[in-house]
Amino acid sequence: MRARKSTIPSQTIDAVEHRVRQLCWRYADKLQFHGWHHVSFVRAKAAGFAEHNGADRTVVEVAALVHDVNYIVLRNSPAAAGRDLRMGILRECDVEGTVAQWIDEIIDEAEMATRGRHISLEAQALSDADTLFKALPVTPVVLAHRYLRENGLSLRELAHKIVGEQRDVHDSGYYFYNPKAAENYSRWALANLQLWQCIKEAVDDPTVVELLDAVHAVDVTDFEAEPAAS
């Protein structure tokens, strides 16, 4: 474990946490996948990865707290869509301007769809935490349907997105940057990618499409048949 660096005081981190938590609860209907449960998990894991790789833990924690505010601004959007809201939160919480800009750059750098092999230590810590959330064995079971609703995607679109964004990164050997994370979680990541590859293939099978359409029709009928709340 390398020496810990600290740029942002604890009271400022607390202020950012409070503001983001408020937003997550206010927009809970928009953040079914990327709500406080996601933010707090990524924040905790990213802080641990930062401790291990020598990144500035305080900067990584704040980046984790504000990394997904774009989903409040625009569904199914890149991190850059949340830049104005993100910078406003950081300014409101008295994060110094150059540090706020650094945080915004880290978030862009860590984004799954565009990240490369050689990114900063801070971006590595954030990326590994966010990637781990995606690779958890429980995520497809418990949270995938929430992602579909939050972002207005079909199952086919989500399968193509996951395989398209993650397969090459995994095969190129930097799905996780932290060696310990790679050792502990690569098996989960591979199983997750194999599952989504199978889903991608299945939703292109006409018989499976008919099955999904039939299930959807039953779900809609059941919903419409429910009595109105008194």
Side-chain angles (χ1 to χ4, degrees):
M1 186 178 294
R2 303 181 187 181
R4 175 176 173 178
K5 304 172 186 176
S6 299
T7 295
I8 303 174
S10 60
Q11 63 268 28
T12 302
I13 299 174
D14 291 343
V16 176
E17 177 186 346
H18 179 71
R19 183 70 180 114
V20 172
R21 190 194 292 262
Q22 282 183 321
L23 288 170
C24 284
W25 287 114
R26 181 183 304 169
Y27 295 101
D29 58 328
K30 283 188 170 186
L31 302 174
Q32 296 181 45
F33 183 90
H34 291 103
W36 184 249
H37 56 280
H38 171 75
V39 174
S40 58
F41 177 93
V42 173
R43 185 254 188 103
K45 286 295 186 180
F49 292 138
E51 289 273 16
H52 185 268
N53 74 4
D56 189 315
R57 173 174 175 157
T58 61
V59 169
V60 170
E61 280 196 73
V62 174
L65 286 167
V66 297
H67 79 286
D68 275 340
V69 298
N70 52 290
Y71 292 102
I72 297 173
V73 177
L74 180 67
R75 69 192 327 201
N76 194 31
S77 63
R83 179 164 293 122
D84 289 346
L85 176 57
R86 182 178 304 118
M87 296 299 280
I89 293 168
L90 298 178
R91 185 167 54 250
E92 176 187 326
C93 296
D94 296 325
V95 176
E96 197 271 324
T98 57
V99 176
Q101 183 61 41
W102 181 21
I103 288 168
D104 190 58
E105 291 169 359
I106 288 166
I107 292 167
D108 281 344
E109 197 180 6
E111 192 157 33
M112 172 64 80
T114 55
R115 66 183 172 91
R117 183 183 299 275
H118 304 292
I119 61 176
S120 67
L121 293 176
E122 286 73 21
Q124 288 180 26
L126 175 59
S127 175
D128 279 350
D130 203 24
T131 298
L132 175 56
F133 188 87
K134 297 177 176 71
L136 291 173
V138 298
T139 296
V141 179
V142 178
L143 293 167
H145 67 288
R146 292 189 176 198
Y147 191 97
L148 296 175
R149 287 202 301 263
E150 178 186 292
N151 292 288
L153 297 178
S154 67
L155 186 61
R156 174 183 285 105
E157 288 169 329
L158 179 56
H160 279 264
K161 174 182 173 65
I162 290 172
V163 174
E165 290 181 357
Q166 299 183 29
R167 184 84 244 184
D168 287 347
V169 172
H170 179 275
D171 292 348
S172 296
Y174 57 96
Y175 195 79
F176 292 108
Y177 297 93
N178 183 293
K180 193 67 175 175
E183 178 184 344
N184 289 341
Y185 306 124
S186 287
R187 185 168 62 91
W188 292 357
L190 179 58
N192 184 65
L193 281 171
Q194 288 173 335
L195 170 64
W196 283 105
Q197 178 64 45
C198 290
I199 294 172
K200 179 174 176 285
E201 295 164 5
V203 295
D204 287 330
D205 183 309
T207 307
V208 175
V209 172
E210 289 180 11
L211 168 66
L212 294 175
D213 288 344
V215 171
H216 178 67
V218 171
D219 288 343
V220 171
T221 302
D222 287 348
F223 176 77
E224 290 176 346
E226 288 180 359
S230 58

